[in-house]
Amino acid sequence: MAADSVRKESQNGCTDHSGPTKDKPTEKAAMLHKDVGLLSGISLIVGTMIGSGIFISPKSVLLYSGAVGPCLLIWTACGVLSTLGALCYAELGTMITKSGAEYSYLMEAFGGLLAYLYSWTSVMVLKPSSFAIITLSFAEYVSAPFYPGCTPPVVVIKCLSAAAIFVIITVNCLSVKLASFVQNFFTGAKLIIIIVIVVAGIVLMAQGNTQNLSNAFQGSKTSFGAIGLAFYNGLWAYDGWNQLNFITEELKDPYRNLPLAIIIGIPLVTVCYVLVNVAYFTVMSPTELLLSPAVAVTFGDRVLYPLSWIVPLFVVFSTFGSANGSCFTAGRLSYVAGREGHMVKLLSYISLKRCTPSPALIFNGILTFFYIIPADINSLINYFSFAQWAFYGLTALALIVMRFTRKELKRPVKVPVVLAGIMVVVSCYLVLAPIIDKPELEYLYCTIFIFSGLLLYFPFVYWKVNWAQKFMKPITMHLQLLLEVVPPEKTE
């Protein structure tokens, strides 16, 4: 095949273009390499978690909780819950050192069918919709200064979002090291603005601006579904605690760095989130916060003037970094699913020159472009959370099941099984509570979509019908030549 000649000409290697060498370019095997260290791992977790959520979700969490006190408690509880979930994933990730996070763990515990349904739902809906939400938030903050006193036109927001998607996909296709550098840089930037907001809040509290924090539980809501929706929006801001598990195969010393990055990263984010919300309430009453089109920008206008422009600038940095992290991991899920035969094989190919899973990254980017066309951020969050927490619960259940069915597997990190039990119970609550309290068609649509994957699973994955393989073979070959990608080399 023509692609084989391409591979031979490159001597089965990937040229590392990340820097100059004295004699000749360094040859790398055509596979994904362990280029992600501890700092980059922490940056991936922190940088993906701290994105648009803390600058958008405070309104929704407050709206559904009804008062300042329950709002702060929910932010704290979301951090604790994320930590418990991540500890379960630390055991799973050091026991099964494959990339793909939930996909690999569901495959190991329950078999290919459930893993396929997860990959189908995540690759086609969850990952691109998450990417779309973050880039739309990025676009809102970028365009806001150019339209003072009014909402930016929808077409402007969507065009900026599309431009951000294109840039991020390009960066991730070019180099893993470049993508990691971008992630580290923007994580540092977002921590700077978090520190500025928190310090300003502490100063205001010291000056006596605590009126919004008194009688903090007055007007709080106790509705079963309302609390669930408050958790949905809070946990959306925390989403990303499992991101490192998607790239386990590219992580240096995963037995050490995976749990260490989790232990450092998630508590850091929790502290930042709670303190940022406290800072918001030193400046804005609950009513003012709910009416603010951009909470962080309103805070900056009232506290940091004439330097208030730094807040939207750093929020732009924050959302861009989060979008980069989301793209980075989404590509790895498509890559692993393609490698296992649950997606088209081309998605498991990697760039011959760059050693990046460029077909998987490009595919994720194309889907994301479609999601920004009709997108409404709040409805996408609810849609995303409903399906995602169903799979989080199943993954926690997988940990419990494998304690009995896979006793022979080594567990460098072993957490109390009760933590996995808590995750299963909480996941069931987060999936069922909003449906019971306020049934909506979007939950039914989500369920139908998940199981519609079976229409493709049985003919194309389980039975592997001949005509489909004959149809895909020339398409795969031409795209392989066009994109200059090859199947990854086998590893021991």
Side-chain angles (χ1 to χ4, degrees):
M1 231 169 61
D4 293 329
S5 63
V6 174
R7 179 189 283 278
K8 288 176 183 177
E9 287 173 12
S10 67
Q11 299 178 349
N12 281 329
C14 289
T15 304
D16 182 7
H17 297 281
S18 59
T21 54
K22 291 182 179 178
D23 301 316
K24 61 180 181 179
T26 304
E27 297 292 335
K28 286 186 176 182
M31 56 185 287
L32 299 183
H33 296 270
K34 292 184 178 293
D35 289 330
V36 181
L38 177 60
L39 177 61
S40 295
I42 295 171
S43 294
L44 182 64
I45 292 175
V46 175
T48 308
M49 290 176 73
I50 303 177
S52 60
I54 190 59
F55 309 111
I56 291 176
S57 292
K59 292 194 290 185
S60 299
V61 174
L62 178 61
L63 176 65
Y64 292 116
S65 59
V68 174
C71 178
L72 295 177
L73 286 177
I74 286 171
W75 278 105
T76 305
C78 287
V80 172
L81 183 61
S82 298
T83 304
L84 296 182
L87 290 173
C88 294
Y89 275 56
E91 175 175 330
L92 289 165
T94 52
M95 178 174 66
I96 302 166
T97 55
K98 294 180 180 179
S99 295
E102 291 92 349
Y103 175 81
S104 296
Y105 313 144
L106 293 172
M107 173 83 80
E108 202 73 30
F110 302 118
L113 179 58
L114 193 56
Y116 167 80
L117 288 177
Y118 170 76
S119 66
W120 161 257
T121 308
S122 295
V123 170
M124 300 303 293
V125 177
L126 300 183
K127 288 296 183 182
S129 68
S130 174
F131 194 9
I133 292 167
I134 300 168
T135 54
L136 286 167
S137 302
F138 163 83
E140 286 184 6
Y141 276 94
V142 167
S143 56
F146 298 98
Y147 298 90
C150 64
T151 304
V154 174
V155 66
V156 172
I157 291 175
K158 291 182 178 179
C159 287
L160 286 171
S161 176
I165 293 166
F166 177 78
V167 170
I168 291 168
I169 293 294
T170 302
V171 166
N172 279 267
C173 286
L174 285 175
S175 167
V176 172
K177 289 183 178 179
L178 177 60
S180 295
F181 173 79
V182 169
Q183 192 65 29
N184 294 348
F185 174 82
F186 285 105
T187 298
K190 68 184 66 182
L191 288 176
I192 290 173
I193 194 58
I194 291 285
I195 291 170
V196 169
I197 292 173
V198 169
V199 170
I202 292 171
V203 171
L204 289 168
M205 287 183 68
Q207 294 173 348
N209 292 281
T210 58
Q211 63 273 15
N212 295 324
L213 300 171
S214 58
N215 298 320
F217 289 87
Q218 185 175 354
S220 58
K221 297 179 181 178
T222 56
S223 165
F224 191 67
I227 294 172
L229 287 171
F231 267 96
Y232 263 7
N233 287 277
L235 288 166
W236 161 249
Y238 279 97
D239 192 68
W241 51 265
N242 62 332
Q243 294 298 290
L244 205 53
N245 292 71
F246 282 98
I247 62 162
T248 309
E249 294 172 23
E250 296 172 75
L251 187 63
K252 298 175 183 176
D253 192 3
Y255 300 114
R256 170 184 175 269
N257 290 338
L258 178 63
L260 197 56
I262 287 169
I263 292 168
I264 294 171
I266 299 173
L268 173 64
V269 173
T270 304
V271 171
C272 288
Y273 277 4
V274 174
L275 292 179
V276 164
N277 275 277
V278 171
Y280 288 156
F281 288 119
T282 62
V283 173
M284 288 171 275
S285 67
T287 303
E288 289 173 327
L289 191 143
L290 290 172
L291 292 174
S292 171
V295 179
V297 174
T298 302
F299 179 89
D301 289 339
R302 296 189 182 184
V303 177
L304 302 175
Y305 187 82
L307 297 176
S308 55
W309 56 269
I310 69 169
V311 174
L313 174 63
F314 277 88
V315 171
V316 166
F317 290 165
S318 178
T319 49
F320 189 88
S322 184
N324 181 74
S326 178
C327 172
F328 190 91
T329 57
R332 272 58 184 179
L333 175 58
S334 302
Y335 165 80
V336 174
R339 187 176 65 186
E340 297 293 335
H342 285 167
M343 291 285 161
V344 293
K345 207 68 179 176
L346 182 70
L347 296 182
S348 69
Y349 288 10
I350 64 171
S351 169
L352 191 63
K353 296 179 180 179
R354 306 291 180 178
C355 290
T356 58
S358 51
L361 292 164
I362 293 169
F363 180 68
N364 180 56
I366 291 170
L367 289 177
T368 306
F369 279 123
F370 285 107
Y371 274 96
I372 65 173
I373 295 171
D376 170 70
I377 289 178
N378 289 323
S379 66
L380 275 175
I381 289 173
N382 291 334
Y383 188 60
F384 171 87
S385 299
F386 165 73
Q388 186 66 75
W389 276 94
F391 287 114
Y392 284 158
L394 287 169
T395 305
L397 182 62
L399 187 149
I400 298 172
V401 168
M402 284 191 284
R403 286 286 180 92
F404 300 97
T405 61
R406 304 300 303 273
K407 293 181 180 180
E408 78 281 2
L409 292 176
K410 293 182 180 179
R411 292 171 169 83
V413 175
K414 192 171 183 178
V415 300
V417 74
V418 68
L419 296 186
I422 292 171
M423 282 295 293
V424 172
V425 172
V426 171
S427 298
C428 289
Y429 170 76
L430 289 171
V431 170
L432 297 175
I435 299 174
I436 294 170
D437 186 69
K438 188 181 178 183
E440 293 184 3
L441 283 176
E442 66 180 355
Y443 302 126
L444 178 61
Y445 295 151
C446 180
T447 305
I448 291 172
F449 179 84
I450 291 172
F451 288 101
S452 70
L454 297 176
L455 298 175
L456 298 175
Y457 175 78
F458 285 105
F460 301 119
V461 178
Y462 189 76
W463 292 318
K464 297 181 179 178
V465 292
N466 289 330
W467 65 265
Q469 295 183 39
K470 290 179 181 178
F471 175 75
M472 284 301 300
K473 189 173 181 180
I475 296 175
T476 301
M477 183 185 72
H478 285 95
L479 287 175
Q480 186 179 355
L481 292 169
L482 176 66
L483 299 173
E484 295 186 346
V485 294
V486 295
E489 291 184 6
K490 299 290 184 182
T491 57
E492 295 181 3

